[in-house]
Amino acid sequence: QKTAYEISLGLVGSEMCIRDRSTPSSLLTLEQWLEYIQSVHFRSKDLALDRVRRVLHRMRLRLPCKVITFAGTNGKGSTVRFVESIYVSAGYRVGAYTSPHLVAYGERIQLNQSLAEADELVEAFRVVDQARQGIPLTYFEFGTLAALYIFSSNKLDVVLLEVGLGGRLDAVNAITSNLSCITPVSLDHEAWLGQTCEQIGFEKAGVLRFGSKVVLNDNNVPDSIVDRAVQLKCEIKRIGIDYSFTVADGRLTWNPDPSRWGAARTYSDLHIPGSGDDAVLHNTAGAIAIVESMDADLPVCKNAVREGLANTELFGRIQVLPGGIEQIFDVAHNPAAIANLAAFIDKRHPVRRNLAVFSMLKDKDLAEVVRLMGSRITSWHLTQLDGSRATPLQDLADVVSNHSNSDIKMWPNPLHAYKMAMQLAHPGDRVVVFGSFYLVGAILKSVSGHLLQA
């Protein structure tokens, strides 16, 4: 299928070059640029660092500030949001790069919690495109370099970089960080990262740097990560060993082990952000560990931590919209994240029925996800996502029917599925939208009164 930009491929030496018939100088709007950057590489994923490093060198970018990198399977984005909010509350200028976005591309690149403006993004894309000189970049690589350009153009104190896929060969790993945080590791993207948590952990551990600081916020961290951190003589802080947290009466307490981490402070009576699900509590603990680990370089008063956590907004992460028909939006798309969503529903107040609005990409463990949620769902409202990675609607229905005895309805697009689920729900029911960033984002931007409404 041709895009608006007709592409021809050729080989020059060992490097693949892509010639675009539409010249970048003719691109005026952000939408045109986003379409264009999807066309300059024939793959959506191409894990390698050489192309990004070459373009980065040509751009002569430097980040003269502290850098924190976030890798892991689940919890990266939420942990970034917590750390970002704490540092902004402390008065620092903060850049944050996350992916994917829910509604607007600017969500990926934020300065002091403000989304990058369209003109900033267009200028950054122009600079990257000029520097690449025919080097093919994936959509994610292009966006990463654009983010680094925007960050380097602003006087920042700290930059937070979320790995897109894996770590070792991810575009974010072209930048050396002062601290790396690795969040819980579980099975996901096995075709790219490996079939076991140890193999996946090896890829995540690729973000570690010799002698740097490391926060391992995973209760079951793979040995491949720990061994690599020890080999690189990293300064390791590990949940369950160097720090822990407890919850009582709806408030969180964070405790360092004084015998291992004498300089860290204890926090008590902290507001629990978001919905207060198990993953949020865990990610909050990791964020505090990061701030305490970086305290010598980026001092933060305890009140800034308290305010930062209280002010953090987590869109699409077990986000609850109360009402006669309660709504839950969650971008959970692998078994570990789905298990967290299921546990949250089990602890939530009982409802008459749970109606699911659901779709997933075809490279996910669809059967296990449905098995984990099946007993809780009375009615499935399935829908088709856009793009080549989307699971065909009939395939979704076949898997759901094999692993659930509940009613199944099929709708042509996410918004239609959501509207029909809400129409068929009654007061005292709950609608749960989950399974993909693309599904949740497509619906949230149309939810009346929602902060992400386009």
Side-chain angles (χ1 to χ4, degrees):
Q1 183 180 358
K2 293 184 179 179
T3 67
Y5 308 97
E6 295 180 56
I7 303 169
S8 59
L9 301 179
L11 291 176
V12 179
S14 61
E15 181 179 288
M16 177 169 288
C17 294
I18 296 183
R19 297 186 295 275
D20 310 306
R21 298 227 182 136
S22 293
T23 60
S25 61
S26 68
L27 306 179
L28 300 176
T29 68
L30 176 58
E31 290 71 24
Q32 288 174 328
W33 272 100
L34 291 175
E35 185 177 359
Y36 170 75
I37 68 175
Q38 291 190 71
S39 75
V40 298
H41 197 295
F42 72 105
R43 292 177 182 167
S44 62
K45 297 184 182 72
D46 187 7
L47 295 183
L49 277 176
D50 60 312
R51 299 183 311 277
V52 172
R53 283 173 171 159
R54 292 206 302 276
V55 180
L56 194 62
H57 176 73
R58 291 176 182 176
M59 294 173 71
R60 301 185 182 277
L61 292 185
R62 296 290 183 271
L63 292 177
C65 61
K66 300 302 177 184
V67 177
I68 302 173
T69 298
F70 299 75
T73 305
N74 293 312
K76 300 186 297 295
S78 296
T79 309
V80 168
R81 296 278 87 94
F82 293 141
V83 175
E84 175 189 37
S85 187
I86 290 169
Y87 280 139
V88 169
S89 294
Y92 291 112
R93 286 187 52 78
V94 185
Y97 176 59
T98 60
S99 63
H101 59 276
L102 280 170
V103 174
Y105 188 91
E107 295 168 35
R108 296 180 180 227
I109 305 171
Q110 300 194 25
L111 297 171
N112 271 26
Q113 298 177 297
S114 294
L115 277 59
E117 300 286 348
D119 56 348
E120 290 179 291
L121 292 167
V122 166
E123 172 62 18
F125 289 147
R126 282 193 181 121
V127 171
V128 173
D129 196 67
Q130 184 176 16
R132 73 182 181 90
Q133 298 177 12
I135 295 175
L137 297 171
T138 66
Y139 181 85
F140 180 79
E141 291 168 345
F142 216 114
T144 301
L145 289 165
L148 296 175
Y149 173 77
I150 290 173
F151 294 153
S152 69
S153 302
N154 289 269
K155 190 175 181 180
L156 301 177
D157 300 302
V158 58
V159 165
L160 314 177
L161 302 175
E162 180 192 358
V163 165
L165 178 61
R168 183 174 62 92
L169 298 176
D170 187 84
V172 162
N173 203 31
I175 299 296
T176 295
S177 61
N178 302 95
L179 181 147
S180 301
C181 172
I182 299 184
T183 64
V185 173
S186 59
L187 297 179
D188 199 5
H189 299 292
E190 292 95 324
W192 293 91
L193 305 179
Q195 300 298 313
T196 69
C197 285
E198 288 296 336
Q199 291 174 333
I200 294 172
F202 172 80
E203 295 297 328
K204 309 291 185 186
V207 301
L208 305 182
R209 295 296 193 271
F210 183 84
S212 66
K213 301 176 187 293
V214 177
V215 170
L216 301 180
N217 198 44
D218 185 351
N219 287 314
N220 300 298
V221 60
D223 291 339
S224 55
I225 295 176
V226 177
D227 292 346
R228 183 62 175 163
V230 171
Q231 181 184 21
L232 292 174
K233 302 185 186 304
C234 295
E235 183 181 323
I236 304 169
K237 294 296 180 284
R238 183 171 169 181
I239 191 169
I241 296 177
D242 298 284
Y243 65 94
S244 61
F245 71 94
T246 56
V247 176
D249 299 324
R251 311 295 282 185
L252 184 141
T253 297
W254 187 90
N255 289 303
D257 183 334
S259 67
R260 300 179 59 89
W261 197 354
R265 299 165 290 185
T266 297
Y267 293 83
S268 59
D269 197 36
L270 291 173
H271 170 82
I272 295 173
S275 62
D277 61 276
D278 292 345
V280 159
L281 299 173
H282 188 90
N283 298 334
T284 301
I288 298 172
I290 291 169
V291 170
E292 286 296 308
S293 294
M294 291 294 293
D295 190 63
D297 299 304
L298 297 167
V300 171
C301 69
K302 292 180 73 172
N303 195 50
V305 174
R306 190 176 303 278
E307 288 182 2
L309 293 176
N311 294 333
T312 304
E313 292 180 309
L314 298 174
F315 298 118
R317 274 76 171 181
I318 306 195
Q319 181 181 357
V320 179
L321 298 186
I325 300 170
E326 183 178 83
Q327 302 171 63
I328 298 177
F329 296 86
D330 192 19
V331 295
H333 53 267
N334 56 53
I338 295 295
N340 181 64
L341 172 61
F344 176 78
I345 290 174
D346 290 345
K347 294 175 185 177
R348 195 83 178 150
H349 60 81
V351 295
R352 195 169 66 92
R353 297 184 303 164
N354 285 307
L355 290 77
V357 178
F358 177 71
S359 193
M360 288 188 74
L361 301 180
K362 60 188 176 185
D363 57 353
K364 304 300 179 182
D365 191 347
L366 176 59
E368 180 64 8
V369 164
V370 175
R371 188 190 69 78
L372 286 168
M373 283 292 287
S375 63
R376 297 164 182 84
I377 304 301
T378 305
S379 176
W380 293 85
H381 294 259
L382 308 179
T383 184
Q384 180 78 47
L385 299 175
D386 291 332
S388 60
R389 294 175 61 203
T391 302
L393 190 51
Q394 188 57 54
D395 290 356
L396 278 173
D398 291 344
V399 173
V400 172
S401 64
N402 287 336
H403 295 86
S404 172
N405 296 321
S406 303
D407 176 52
I408 297 174
K409 292 180 171 59
M410 294 187 285
W411 309 105
N413 61 67
L415 189 56
H416 192 175
Y418 167 73
K419 288 180 176 178
M420 292 307 300
M422 291 296 294
Q423 182 176 317
L424 294 170
H426 303 291
D429 289 343
R430 177 189 292 130
V431 171
V432 186
V433 181
F434 74 101
S436 170
F437 271 88
Y438 302 102
L439 173 75
V440 174
I443 294 170
L444 275 185
K445 67 183 178 182
S446 300
V447 173
S448 178
H450 194 275
L451 292 175
L452 283 179
Q453 189 171 4

